[in-house]
Amino acid sequence: MSEISVIVLAAGFGTRMKSKKAKVLFELCGEPMLVHILKKAYEISDDVSVVLSYQLDEIKKVVLKHFANTKIYKQDVERFPGTAGALRDVLFNSNKTLIICGDMPLVKTNELIRLTSATADVALGVFEAKNPFGYGRVITKNGEIQKIVEEKDATSEEKLVKSANTGCYCFKSEVLKEILPKISNQNSQNEYYLTDSIKLAKDMGLKCHAVMVDEDNFMGINDKFALSVAEGIMQNEIKENLMKQGVLMRLPKSIYIDSRAKFQGECELQENVSIIGECVIKNSIIKSSSVIEDSVVENSDIGPLAHVRPNCVVKDTHIGNFVELKKANLTGVKAGHLSYLGDCEIGSGTNVGCGTITCNYDGKAKYKTIIGKNVFIGSDSQLVAPVKIEDDVLIAAGSTVTMDAKSGSLVISRVKQVNKDGFYYKFFGDKNVTK
Ligand code: UD1
Ligand code: MG
């Protein structure tokens, strides 16, 4: 029998999110809130279960993609709605059971450990809420917990209580097994509330202990406003950690960084930068208002106003303003201005002139452009893929390149220029000359 198991409750409808998407799949800093919670749960135990019902298949897929060993239970929400109804069919095989709600993605492992190491029969996470509206209120008498009253069932006096139920509990499993069948649905919502377990435990003469935790770490996300507040808190944590790790950030409040992004060496992020997805940024500077998505950037400077779309590897490279990259592998390249470089490989020493475009899509399929080393691409050139340019090629400005080019060659594809003397005056007449 394992010492402790963790159960995450995620079967609710999430009505207050006002969305077709399941609440626990809403993302904070790039990952679904349930995934953030499961990461913490697995730091506590290998025995983790999730209770689902609404959108079970979609949520199950996400859970098992990240944590294949997670046990999935289905709640009978028709017959047994509510947070205690969620536990009806769960098998308790460990000494202790830690219960976490699926809408508290900011939970911290050290606080969960404090809950699991309490010696009481029931340890309840409690915080002093600045604004307790919506939370279950923890009613105490002479310093002892008596019961939890939900907002909808609370008297006006109880609503003044600021001690809030986190929705996170650690039970001795034997105790939980005994209490669950005793919970009724006699309340304003006709649901089986897990919160009622506290009063039942007290009535049985058992010990209930409040473990005080930080409100920011245990806030429950019930609507999209709370989601934005929680994401703000998570962003601040991510950026604070990175700055302490040595990443320089200008106006960090304006910067967005995905929770999966990794930084190595000495990096600088200027204002308004977004780092999205699983990026690795090493010894690089990302200038104002640039966006990097699911890419690797190493020893390079990017932007301002550049867009590195997914699956790029950019090394020892200078990318200037209004350059968009997608699935591009660049090493030792200069692309200073106004370019689209998609589905391409470009070798070191190559200069990509202003206005260069890889024409990678013909309306049906995507094709690759391969450009070798030390190529000089004149401004306003288009490379119609599939096309291969070998090393040491000079492409004249304004060329539309449709054929492969051999090493050492000049590529020029332009309409020959014609100058007709006096044509202007013949066409507009002398009077049209600006006075
Ligand atoms: C719950 C607590 C409240 C606490 C707050 C903390 C109850 C009755 N209330 O309220 O005391 O202060 O969390 O954030 O427990 N769920 C199920 N099955 C259900 C209903 C809910 O699995 O039938 C899951 C939800 O998916 C969610 C979690 O339980 O992840 C909490 O449900 P939610 O509706 O958010 O409860 P709150 O009203 O926030
Ligand atoms: Mg909630």
Side-chain angles (χ1 to χ4, degrees):
M1 188 191 269
S2 68
E3 185 53 35
I4 179 133
S5 51
V6 183
I7 298 170
V8 183
L9 307 183
F13 291 106
T15 317
R16 288 162 282 181
M17 290 303 269
K18 297 192 169 60
S19 173
K20 290 192 192 88
K21 183 167 168 173
K23 172 164 82 169
V24 294
L25 292 187
F26 273 85
E27 292 171 356
L28 290 93
C29 305
E31 288 196 288
M33 61 173 106
L34 187 53
V35 172
H36 287 292
I37 296 167
L38 287 170
K39 278 186 191 166
K40 300 292 158 54
Y42 274 98
E43 284 175 27
I44 302 291
S45 169
D46 291 334
D47 181 13
V48 177
S49 307
V50 178
V51 184
L52 299 173
S53 174
Y54 176 64
Q55 295 201 4
L56 184 140
D57 293 334
E58 287 88 335
I59 305 175
K60 183 177 168 184
K61 218 161 109 188
V62 174
V63 169
L64 297 182
K65 182 179 154 218
H66 288 84
F67 302 98
N69 294 330
T70 311
K71 289 180 209 145
I72 306 286
Y73 286 99
K74 185 177 190 310
Q75 179 181 353
D76 182 350
V77 278
E78 294 294 323
R79 289 172 61 216
F80 299 109
T83 42
L87 297 170
R88 207 77 193 190
D89 296 324
V90 173
L91 299 171
F92 303 101
N93 301 318
S94 54
N95 293 325
K96 282 185 173 184
T97 304
L98 176 69
I99 295 178
I100 313 177
C101 289
D103 63 353
M104 40 179 66
L106 302 175
V107 282
K108 296 282 175 295
T109 316
N110 61 337
E111 286 177 310
L112 294 178
I113 289 172
R114 277 174 51 223
L115 269 165
T116 57
S117 37
T119 51
D121 297 296
V122 187
L124 171 69
V126 178
F127 59 77
E128 288 302 307
K130 283 176 222 96
N131 172 13
F133 179 81
Y135 287 112
R137 308 299 203 284
V138 181
I139 310 297
T140 50
K141 199 166 140 195
N142 304 328
E144 297 245 329
I145 310 177
Q146 300 301 311
K147 60 177 178 177
I148 298 171
V149 188
E150 289 304 292
E151 175 84 36
K152 286 183 177 149
D153 303 297
T155 62
S156 47
E157 202 180 320
E158 286 166 339
K159 281 182 184 161
L160 297 174
V161 172
K162 296 216 158 182
S163 300
N165 168 29
T166 54
C168 201
Y169 324 71
C170 185
F171 289 90
K172 283 187 178 159
S173 302
E174 287 304 314
V175 167
L176 184 58
K177 264 195 246 178
E178 208 181 326
I179 289 175
L180 277 176
K182 296 183 179 169
I183 293 177
S184 82
N185 62 350
Q186 300 306 299
N187 52 55
S188 64
Q189 303 199 86
N190 295 325
E191 286 188 1
Y192 294 85
Y193 290 166
L194 185 56
T195 48
D196 286 353
S197 61
I198 301 298
K199 179 162 187 318
L200 287 165
K202 287 300 287 186
D203 292 348
M204 288 159 70
L206 299 169
K207 267 213 267 171
C208 299
H209 182 63
V211 174
M212 297 309 293
V213 295
D214 189 331
E215 175 173 10
D216 276 358
N217 298 341
F218 282 83
M219 70 174 286
I221 294 174
N222 295 321
D223 58 31
K224 286 173 181 161
F225 175 67
L227 179 71
S228 76
V229 173
E231 187 167 44
I233 294 171
M234 192 180 278
Q235 267 301 290
N236 286 343
E237 285 171 9
I238 290 170
K239 288 184 279 191
E240 185 178 335
N241 287 338
L242 289 171
M243 285 188 273
K244 286 180 177 160
Q245 187 192 302
V247 178
L248 176 66
M249 295 188 203
R250 301 208 176 276
L251 301 181
K253 279 202 180 106
S254 67
I255 294 173
Y256 172 86
I257 304 178
D258 195 292
S259 58
R260 295 161 294 173
K262 292 196 169 51
F263 289 81
Q264 294 163 11
E266 201 167 349
C267 296
E268 178 181 338
L269 305 180
Q270 295 183 352
E271 70 281 0
N272 230 16
V273 157
S274 294
I275 308 292
I276 297 167
E278 294 183 56
C279 291
V280 178
I281 316 281
K282 189 173 176 185
N283 292 323
S284 292
I285 167 164
I286 316 295
K287 295 184 186 166
S288 306
S289 301
S290 295
V291 179
I292 316 284
E293 300 176 73
D294 290 300
S295 288
V296 175
V297 176
E298 196 176 318
N299 297 327
S300 297
D301 66 288
I302 310 282
L305 291 148
H307 189 182
V308 179
R309 290 172 50 206
N311 301 313
C312 291
V313 178
V314 181
K315 294 186 178 169
D316 308 316
T317 286
H318 161 67
I319 297 292
N321 47 196
F322 308 113
V323 174
E324 176 180 340
L325 308 182
K326 195 254 341 190
K327 243 189 190 176
N329 192 333
L330 273 52
T331 304
V333 174
K334 283 187 184 150
H337 355 249
L338 286 159
S339 285
Y340 171 64
L341 305 172
D343 299 299
C344 60
E345 279 172 31
I346 309 183
S348 64
T350 288
N351 187 89
V352 178
C354 175
T356 299
I357 296 170
T358 52
C359 308
N360 59 331
Y361 184 49
D362 65 0
K364 279 191 191 167
K366 303 272 166 71
Y367 302 95
K368 218 169 161 182
T369 300
I370 298 176
I371 301 168
K373 295 178 183 163
N374 304 316
V375 172
F376 183 90
I377 308 175
S379 297
D380 192 26
S381 293
Q382 307 101 52
L383 297 119
V384 183
V387 70
K388 186 174 177 194
I389 310 296
E390 292 183 2
D391 297 347
D392 307 328
V393 169
L394 171 60
I395 299 176
S399 293
T400 301
V401 182
T402 54
M403 294 180 323
D404 292 355
K406 284 222 160 7
S407 188
S409 60
L410 164 73
V411 172
I412 181 159
S413 91
R414 289 182 195 153
V415 176
K416 207 163 182 154
Q417 185 170 329
V418 178
N419 290 7
K420 294 190 175 177
D421 289 346
F423 180 88
Y424 182 94
Y425 302 110
K426 265 191 239 158
F427 189 72
F428 291 114
D430 280 352
K431 286 190 190 119
N432 203 40
V433 176
T434 321
K435 286 173 186 147

